[in-house]
């Protein structure tokens, strides 16, 4: 939330100045009035937010810090510990200096009469919109401890799921990177040093075609290796620049959704994430319109995120059922639409969405196990085959010379 700088009358003669966090100028005026002050002027502050200043002064706040905080605060509130005392205790136990400052700001805000969720909104990089909405729901329903515990479980499940996906993607990329680097060094730098020895053997006869292919590749790479490196670096920079803009992300994500096998894998990952987020929000009594907005924001793929936004506009805002919109979408399988329809009819949409999330998480986990099981030997064979071919092509003329001399 933005910060406003104000001047106000305190009593008939005293004028004071200060800052207040509010969602809008009218909200700021209302808060100043509730403080018993008579506002003179209210302007939007142009200084950095508290989240940014804390990140600069104390380092980065990790997701694990937030997970631990969520579970600790839930346990203390459930045990009857007052929220101010709970925040003070957690602050003293924080290992991260940056997050210790964040919790300290939360304590100050709550002590000044603000709601915990309102103070959290000042730290969007630490507490995302989904987190703040859940806390608001818990505060309004008087079940903050239950909401925090549910959210802690969901965040941990999401973190485990994300680690599985990252490990599945990282392993083949690492293998390909190591293989490509090995071939690059061998062909571009090592082979030119033994080319004179190989060429000397051509005086007794022609070189094998394997050797000629490798030598031609080595000559070309030795002469143009800098261009190859620059081309690769330029491609990486171009992709990063595309990812930095919304249109670029949408184009890249749409390309990923056209690749066979990759399309289904990415869709299932985001559908599982979307269904689990929606289940959590609906169970916490968040309105379906806001739940769709937050659930769509949790997706990684920009195309799927846009599909959820169109789903929200075309169903909830038009008075239609969520299942009807999902059926019309090309990005959601029929299984999702059927489960949502059953949930809407039975009044247990949160349970149905949770079943969808569990199903697709299992599917993704199954594909990851298959992929890692098959990719390991395939990549080893491919990399080993290329390296072996290079070594064989270089040694073959030497073997021929030895046989001739023998």
């Amino acid at each position: 939330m933005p910060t406003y700088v104000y001047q106000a009358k305190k009593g008939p003669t005293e004028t004071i100045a200060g800052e207040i966090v509010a969602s809008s100028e009218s909200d700021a005026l209302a808060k100043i009035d509730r403080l018993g002050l008579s506002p003179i002027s209210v302007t939007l502050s142009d200084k950095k937010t508290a989240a940014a200043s804390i990140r600069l002064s104390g380092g980065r706040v990790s997701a694990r810090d937030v997970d631990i905080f969520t579970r600790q605060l839930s346990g203390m509130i459930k045990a009857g510990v007052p929220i101010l005392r709970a925040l003070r205790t957690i602050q003293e136990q924080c290992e991260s200096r940056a997050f210790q400052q964040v919790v300290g700001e939360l304590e100050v805000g709550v002590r000044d009469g603000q709601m915990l969720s309102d103070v959290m909104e000042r730290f969007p990089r630490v507490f995302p919109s989904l987190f703040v909405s859940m806390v608001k729901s818990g505060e309004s329903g008087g079940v903050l401890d239950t909401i925090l515990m549910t959210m802690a479980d969901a965040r941990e499940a999401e973190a485990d799921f994300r680690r599985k996906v990252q490990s599945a993607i990282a392993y083949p990329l690492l293998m390909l990177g190591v293989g490509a680097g090995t071939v690059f060094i061998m062909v571009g730098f090592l082979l030119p040093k033994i080319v004179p020895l190989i060429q000397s053997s051509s005086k007794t006869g022609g070189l094998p075609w394997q050797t000629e292919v490798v030598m031609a590749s080595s000559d070309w790479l030795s002469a143009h290796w800098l261009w190859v490196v620059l081309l690769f670096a330029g491609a990486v920079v171009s992709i990063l620049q595309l990812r930095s803009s919304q249109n670029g992300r949408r184009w890249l994500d749409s390309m990923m959704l056209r690749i066979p096998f990759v399309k289904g894998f990415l869709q299932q990952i985001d559908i599982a994430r979307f269904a689990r987020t929606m289940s959590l929000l609906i169970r916490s009594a968040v309105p379906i319109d806001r739940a769709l907005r937050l659930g769509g924001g949790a997706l990684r793929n920009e195309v799927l995120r846009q599909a959820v936004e169109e789903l929200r506009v075309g169903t909830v805002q038009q008075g239609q059922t969520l299942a009807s919109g999902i059926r019309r979408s090309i990005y959601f399988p029929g299984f999702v639409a059927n489960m949502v329809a059953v949930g809407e009819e039975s009044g247990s949409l949160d349970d149905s969405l949770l079943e969808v999330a569990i199903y697709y998480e299992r599917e993704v986990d199954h594909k990851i196990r298959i992929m890692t099981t098959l990719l390991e030997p395939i990549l080893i064979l491919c990399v080993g085959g290329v390296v072996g071919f290079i070594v064989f092509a270089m040694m073959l003329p030497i073997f021929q010379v030895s046989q001739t001399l023998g």
Side-chain angles (χ1 to χ4, degrees):
M1 294 177 69
T3 301
Y4 290 85
V5 179
Y6 68 87
Q7 286 187 330
K9 283 282 189 179
K10 185 178 181 181
T13 58
E14 184 181 2
T15 301
I16 64 173
E19 295 181 353
I20 194 166
V21 178
S23 58
S24 62
E25 184 174 343
S26 59
D27 185 31
L29 290 170
K31 288 184 176 181
I32 295 170
D33 186 68
R34 286 197 295 269
L35 293 174
L37 305 174
S38 300
I40 300 173
S41 65
V42 176
T43 56
L44 186 64
S45 173
D46 60 351
K47 71 175 186 177
K48 301 293 184 181
T49 63
S53 62
I54 285 181
R55 190 179 72 85
L56 290 173
S57 62
R60 182 177 177 272
V61 175
S62 68
R64 183 174 177 273
D65 292 329
V66 180
D67 293 341
I68 295 173
F69 164 79
T70 305
R71 195 169 289 279
Q72 287 179 333
L73 185 59
S74 171
M76 289 185 178
I77 294 175
K78 187 175 182 180
V81 179
I83 189 168
L84 280 174
R85 182 178 175 186
L87 290 171
R88 191 178 304 113
T89 302
I90 294 173
Q91 182 190 19
E92 294 171 354
Q93 297 176 353
C94 282
E95 297 179 0
S96 168
R97 188 165 64 91
F99 194 62
Q100 190 177 52
Q101 296 177 36
V102 173
V103 177
E105 291 291 328
L106 295 180
E107 181 192 353
V108 171
V110 173
R111 190 170 59 242
D112 290 342
Q114 300 181 57
M115 299 295 289
L116 179 62
S117 57
D118 292 335
V119 188
M120 285 180 172
E121 285 185 328
R122 296 165 53 190
F123 305 93
R125 295 184 180 180
V126 180
F127 303 106
S129 298
L130 174 62
F131 193 103
V132 175
S133 296
M134 294 289 295
V135 172
K136 280 186 177 180
S137 174
E139 289 172 334
S140 61
V143 289
L144 183 58
D145 57 336
T146 304
I147 292 294
L148 287 171
M149 186 60 69
T150 303
M151 191 158 44
D153 293 337
R155 286 176 62 91
E156 289 179 2
E158 169 72 13
D160 290 339
F161 183 62
R162 185 169 59 249
R163 280 193 292 267
K164 290 179 182 179
V165 174
Q166 289 173 346
S167 63
I169 297 174
Y171 181 77
L173 290 179
L174 177 63
M175 289 289 295
L176 289 174
V178 171
T182 302
V183 172
F184 181 82
I185 293 173
M186 288 183 63
V187 175
F189 297 96
L190 298 182
L191 292 184
K193 298 183 182 300
I194 62 173
V195 163
L197 177 61
I198 297 173
Q199 289 176 338
S200 65
S201 66
S202 65
K203 297 177 181 179
T204 59
L207 291 173
W209 67 268
Q210 298 95 331
T211 307
E212 291 180 349
V213 168
V214 173
M215 289 181 60
S217 302
S218 177
D219 292 339
W220 183 89
L221 192 58
S222 298
H224 303 92
W225 67 269
L226 181 59
W227 290 106
V228 173
V229 173
L230 292 176
L231 182 63
F232 178 77
V236 172
V237 171
S238 299
I239 292 174
L240 292 177
Q241 287 182 340
L242 282 174
R243 295 295 299 178
S244 64
S245 65
Q246 187 174 6
N247 291 333
R249 286 197 306 271
R250 186 178 293 113
W251 182 82
L252 288 174
D253 290 341
S254 65
M255 292 296 103
M256 294 297 292
L257 290 178
R258 295 178 185 178
I259 302 175
F261 305 109
V262 175
K263 173 184 176 181
F265 185 68
L266 293 179
Q267 276 186 289
Q268 289 181 347
I269 290 173
D270 265 354
I271 289 174
R273 181 180 290 115
F274 171 73
R276 183 173 287 278
T277 303
M278 286 288 295
S279 173
L280 184 63
L281 290 167
I282 293 172
R283 184 167 298 178
S284 304
V286 175
I288 187 69
D289 184 72
R290 180 164 178 77
L292 282 169
R293 187 182 292 110
L294 294 172
L299 301 181
R300 299 289 185 268
N301 190 286
E302 190 68 30
V303 176
L304 297 178
R305 187 181 300 177
Q306 182 63 32
V308 172
E309 178 60 21
E310 293 173 357
L311 178 67
R312 184 185 70 85
V313 174
T315 56
V316 177
Q317 294 188 353
Q318 301 297 326
Q320 301 180 21
T321 62
L322 184 59
S324 64
I326 291 177
R327 284 194 178 96
R328 294 194 299 267
S329 177
I330 63 174
Y331 298 106
F332 290 91
F335 170 74
V336 180
N338 292 332
M339 290 294 292
V340 170
V342 171
E344 289 179 325
E345 292 171 2
S346 62
S348 57
L349 182 57
D350 55 337
D351 292 331
S352 296
L353 287 168
L354 183 59
E355 289 296 325
V356 171
I358 293 173
Y359 171 78
Y360 281 111
E361 285 171 357
R362 288 174 178 169
E363 285 291 304
V364 171
D365 188 52
H366 178 65
K367 287 185 177 180
I368 287 174
R369 287 199 301 268
I370 294 177
M371 184 169 62
T372 53
T373 302
L374 294 178
L375 274 179
E376 182 175 358
I378 291 174
L379 290 174
I380 290 175
L381 286 174
C382 291
V383 174
V386 173
V387 174
F389 177 80
I390 295 173
V391 174
F392 172 76
M394 294 298 99
M395 298 300 293
L396 190 57
I398 299 176
F399 291 151
Q400 289 179 344
V401 171
S402 300
Q403 290 177 354
T404 302
L405 294 176

